[in-house]
């Protein structure tokens, strides 16, 4: 059971940048519930500590009344529909001049070994390869990257100069993806058997495993 | 929370494709946290509701400028941070805090065993403390703690680096622990320029 000293110590460590655990914040809350003096001093911090401990997503969430939701949607329907801005990542048209930018997606067994496959369970390692020698950087983006490029940058292969990255993906799912070249050009996979409109006038590629 | 929720992209594409009703999914997904954020900043529930509508309407109109590959939450709460700052913020917050402090005193004088009352008092206590922070610290606290953004998303919404956000959160913790211990009274709630 946490005592007054323990509560003060937890707050002091939190002030210094420490992250409380869920068990600590629960003990803290129980102590505050039965200690008016500590509650007067630390009560305003309780929800903050719980947020830092991962016990709640946010502090002071009062919910969204249904009436307000309806009011907002009524207002939405009264204003003009949003227009697409010029896309930030211009598409590379698939024309002859870009034939060198052929994309190859290869799905292979994990590590090419049964032991690894067994250990990995339902996962496959997928190699994304892009042949675009003029590029300075290439990243693969998709629903499996959270649509971010960070951490998914391809490396240039020493053998043939092609860009490549291996990504571990779960089987029996479909994935939507594309490539970002030099941080600004969006390149779909011309070899992908399936595509889907991306809502910005272009397409994303579909990979089914 | 990830840097971007893939479902957001799907919804946004539907909206941009002409399906305005799909925007309701974003309202439901972010509306409550937006309201919590606006309420923390403005203090008055009615004013917060108006602010939530204002922010979501602006987001809807500007949805075409949202850049795929960035965090939608950061983009949305950046709009919110700018809007609440211009909405009678300081005056309303002070007036509302005076009223709410009085309400809280009455509530405290009449013990209410319900969980709802306890939760409400907790919210008021923390809001009162946060209202005493300077704007540069306060906006980080409101985005991180009240809007539930990650450190990275908070930084993205404010144009700050990861370390700057963490530094401000640390400074805010020190201030909050002092402010929370003070008797209930309206805080300075000062506006300021982000350094």
């Amino acid at each position: 059971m946490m005592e007054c000293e323990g509560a003060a110590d937890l707050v002091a460590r939190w002030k210094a940048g420490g992250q409380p655990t869920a068990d600590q914040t629960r003990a803290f809350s129980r102590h505050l519930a039965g200690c008016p003096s500590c509650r007067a001093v630390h009560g305003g911090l309780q929800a903050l500590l719980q947020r830092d401990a991962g016990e709640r997503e946010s502090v002071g969430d009062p919910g969204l009344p249904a009436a307000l939701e309806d009011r907002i949607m009524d207002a939405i329907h009264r204003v003009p529909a949003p227009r697409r801005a010029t896309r930030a990542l211009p598409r590379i048209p698939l024309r002859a001049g870009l034939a060198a930018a052929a994309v190859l997606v290869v799905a292979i067994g994990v590590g090419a070994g049964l032991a690894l496959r067994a250990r990995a369970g339902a996962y496959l390692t997928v190699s994304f390869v892009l042949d675009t020698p003029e590029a300075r950087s290439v990243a693969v983006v998709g629903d499996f990257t959270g649509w971010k490029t960070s951490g998914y940058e391809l490396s240039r292969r020493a053998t043939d100069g092609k860009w490549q990255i291996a990504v571990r993906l779960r089987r029996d799912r479909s994935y939507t993806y594309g490539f970002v070249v030099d941080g600004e050009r969006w390149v779909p996979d011309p070899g992908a058997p399936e595509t889907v409109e991306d809502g910005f006038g272009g397409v994303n590629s579909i990979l089914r495993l | 929370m990830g840097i971007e929720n893939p479902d957001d992209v799907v919804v946004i594409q539907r909206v941009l494709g002409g399906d305005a009703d799909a925007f309701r999914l974003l309202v439901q997904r972010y509306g409550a946290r937006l309201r919590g954020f606006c309420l923390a900043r403005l203090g008055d529930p009615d004013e917060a509701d108006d602010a939530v509508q204002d922010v979501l309407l602006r987001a809807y109109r500007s949805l075409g400028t949202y850049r795929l590959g960035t965090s939608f939450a950061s983009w949305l709460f950046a709009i919110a941070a700018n809007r609440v700052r211009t909405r009678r913020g300081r005056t309303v917050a002070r007036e509302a805090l005076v009223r709410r402090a009085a309400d809280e005193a009455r509530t405290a004088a009449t013990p209410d065993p319900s969980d709802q009352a306890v939760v409400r008092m907790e919210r008021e206590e923390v809001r009162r403390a946060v209202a005493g922070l300077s704007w540069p610290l306060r906006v980080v606290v409101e985005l991180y703690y009240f809007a539930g953004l990650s450190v990275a998303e908070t930084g993205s919404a404010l144009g700050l680096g990861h370390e700057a956000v963490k530094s401000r959160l640390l400074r805010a913790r020190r201030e909050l622990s002092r402010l929370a211990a003070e008797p209930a009274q309206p805080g300075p709630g000062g506006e300021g320029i982000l350094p």
Side-chain angles (χ1 to χ4, degrees), chain B residues 4-182:
Chain B
E4 181 183 2
N5 185 338
D7 291 340
D8 288 347
V9 175
V10 174
V11 174
I12 290 165
Q13 289 179 344
R14 280 176 56 187
V15 175
L16 290 174
D19 182 3
D21 286 328
F23 195 77
R24 186 183 288 274
L25 295 171
L26 297 176
V27 174
Q28 291 170 341
R29 190 171 295 163
Y30 292 102
R33 286 194 287 149
L34 262 179
R35 189 161 178 254
F37 173 78
C38 293
L39 191 53
R41 185 73 190 102
L42 300 171
D44 180 82
D46 293 336
E47 184 74 10
D49 287 355
D50 289 345
V52 170
Q53 178 170 334
D54 178 26
V55 169
L56 287 169
L57 209 52
R58 283 173 182 272
Y60 176 75
R61 285 171 166 155
S62 307
L63 202 57
T65 66
Y66 162 65
R67 186 170 175 175
L68 197 70
T70 60
S71 163
F72 178 73
S74 295
W75 182 78
L76 181 64
F77 279 96
I79 296 173
N82 285 328
R83 293 307 299 165
V84 297
R85 200 174 177 193
T86 58
R87 286 182 72 93
R88 298 166 56 198
R90 186 171 182 171
T91 303
V92 170
R94 284 188 169 182
E95 290 172 352
L97 281 164
V98 170
R99 282 200 306 275
R100 295 167 81 81
D103 290 345
E104 184 188 348
R106 281 196 294 276
T107 305
T110 309
D112 184 341
S114 75
D115 290 344
Q116 192 174 5
V118 172
V119 170
R120 186 164 57 81
M121 285 181 65
E122 283 179 358
R123 288 179 185 152
E124 297 314 319
E125 286 171 353
V126 71
R127 281 192 194 115
R128 192 180 64 232
V130 170
L133 294 173
S134 63
W135 171 254
L137 299 185
R138 179 174 177 169
V139 69
V140 169
V141 166
E142 288 169 346
L143 287 173
Y144 179 78
Y145 283 105
F146 286 82
L149 299 190
S150 66
V151 168
E153 288 172 329
T154 301
S156 177
L158 297 174
L160 295 173
H162 191 266
E163 289 305 315
V165 173
K166 289 176 71 175
S167 170
R168 288 191 192 189
L169 283 174
L170 186 57
R171 285 159 56 198
R173 285 184 183 187
R174 294 183 192 131
E175 280 294 297
L176 286 169
S177 61
R178 179 180 64 79
L179 291 164
E182 290 182 349

Side-chain angles (χ1 to χ4, degrees), chain A residues 14 51-52 59 71 77 198, chain B residues 13 21 53 145 149 173:
Chain A
W14 176 77
R51 159 78 168 112
D52 283 320
V59 173
R71 193 176 97 190
H77 285 296
D198 67 357
Chain B
Q13 289 179 344
D21 286 328
Q53 178 170 334
Y145 283 105
L149 299 190
R173 285 184 183 187

Side-chain angles (χ1 to χ4, degrees), chain A residues 61-75:
Chain A
D61 179 351
L64 187 71
L68 177 57
E69 181 184 317
D70 290 339
R71 193 176 97 190
I72 291 168
M73 288 309 297
D74 285 345

Side-chain angles (χ1 to χ4, degrees), chain A residues 5 13 18 24 38 52 54 56 64 75 77 81 83 99-100 103 126 143 157 165 172 183 187 189 192 201-202 207:
Chain A
E5 295 76 13
R13 281 185 278 135
Q24 287 172 327
C38 280
D52 283 320
R56 57 168 76 186
L64 187 71
H77 285 296
R83 297 192 314 168
V103 177
V126 178
D143 44 14
R157 293 197 303 218
I165 188 173
D172 301 323
V187 185
D189 177 3
L207 170 66

Side-chain angles (χ1 to χ4, degrees), chain A residues 56-117:
Chain A
R56 57 168 76 186
E57 188 179 40
S58 65
V59 173
D61 179 351
L64 187 71
L68 177 57
E69 181 184 317
D70 290 339
R71 193 176 97 190
I72 291 168
M73 288 309 297
D74 285 345
I76 292 294
H77 285 296
R78 286 197 299 271
V79 300
R83 297 192 314 168
R84 291 187 177 95
T86 303
R87 59 174 299 112
L89 298 175
R91 295 274 164 176
I92 295 179
L94 300 177
R95 55 179 184 262
L98 288 161
V103 177
L104 183 65
V105 178
V106 182
I108 59 175
V110 175
L114 288 177
L116 274 176
R117 182 188 295 272

